[in-house]
Amino acid sequence: MEELTLKSKIIVCKKNELAKEEQQLVDTAIRQTDSSYAPHSHFCVGAALLLENGTIVEGCNQENAVFPAGICAERSAIFSAGAQYPNEPVVAIAVAARSPEGKLTEDPVSPCGVCRQVLVETETRFQHPVKILLYGQKHIFVIEGVSKLLPLTFKEF
Ligand code: THU
């Protein structure tokens, strides 16, 4: 018998320690929280994608009374990029959220399992890692690629 230990490296930093382009991406995700439609959870999430050509694509969570009809901020941005720029690799994503009280979260919010799976396929599709920037007031988590967030990823054989 053998034991496998899976490790994920996460860089913890402040916004001003990020490259200018990444700070801008985080600011866009923060701004997108204001466009969120979250009448049910009141948890407003914003996402911003950086494409290889420098374009920023924005998204935010969209809820619905028919619960599964809604979508997370991350997938809203990724699917929007897929529709508008189908051939442009996604190189980074920033995510930020406001609590129901309207304050930006102290701790970084990390993507749900479904969004991680969609990010995995985005990486596979473009053969390019997607850098993940998760904003919190206390600190930002930087993760070099979604495989670090979703080990033992499902792949079709
Ligand atoms: N949500 C996101 O948009 N992204 C995440 O990473 C986690 C959760 C949304 C879904 C729902 O609209 C609300 O946050 C509460 O779960």
Side-chain angles (χ1 to χ4, degrees):
M1 209 190 298
E2 192 187 350
E3 191 177 296
L4 296 177
T5 305
L6 305 171
K7 284 197 200 161
S8 287
K9 190 174 90 178
I10 296 179
I11 293 162
V12 183
C13 67
K14 299 281 181 201
K15 199 170 81 177
N16 61 11
E17 294 177 286
L18 296 173
K20 277 276 164 291
E21 198 177 39
E22 292 175 352
Q23 291 188 31
Q24 196 191 340
L25 201 63
V26 168
D27 287 337
T28 308
I30 291 173
R31 240 189 351 265
Q32 261 298 302
T33 62
D34 294 331
S35 301
S36 155
Y37 178 63
H40 304 288
S41 72
H42 304 284
F43 191 71
C44 299
V45 188
L49 301 183
L50 178 64
L51 307 187
E52 199 169 57
N53 68 4
T55 304
I56 291 182
V57 177
E58 305 177 23
C60 54
N61 58 332
Q62 302 289 324
E63 297 184 350
N64 192 282
V66 181
F67 188 61
I71 195 164
C72 292
E74 296 89 327
R75 273 175 291 149
S76 140
I78 291 167
F79 295 155
S80 175
Q84 298 178 79
Y85 306 95
N87 301 315
E88 205 54 48
V90 177
V91 299
I93 181 169
V95 185
R98 287 185 196 280
S99 66
E101 297 74 44
K103 281 189 14 211
L104 288 166
T105 58
E106 292 284 325
D107 292 302
V109 167
S110 43
C112 77
V114 178
C115 289
R116 290 176 199 209
Q117 186 63 42
V118 169
L119 281 163
V120 164
E121 191 151 331
T122 305
E123 287 191 342
T124 313
R125 176 179 179 183
F126 295 114
Q127 291 293 295
H128 197 296
V130 178
K131 189 169 185 175
I132 301 168
L133 308 167
L134 305 176
Y135 175 84
Q137 289 201 63
K138 281 200 295 217
H139 43 236
I140 292 177
F141 286 168
V142 181
I143 303 135
E144 300 284 346
V146 72
S147 61
K148 302 281 178 290
L149 276 186
L150 194 65
L152 294 182
T153 304
F154 167 74
K155 288 195 182 85
E156 286 175 282
F157 295 97

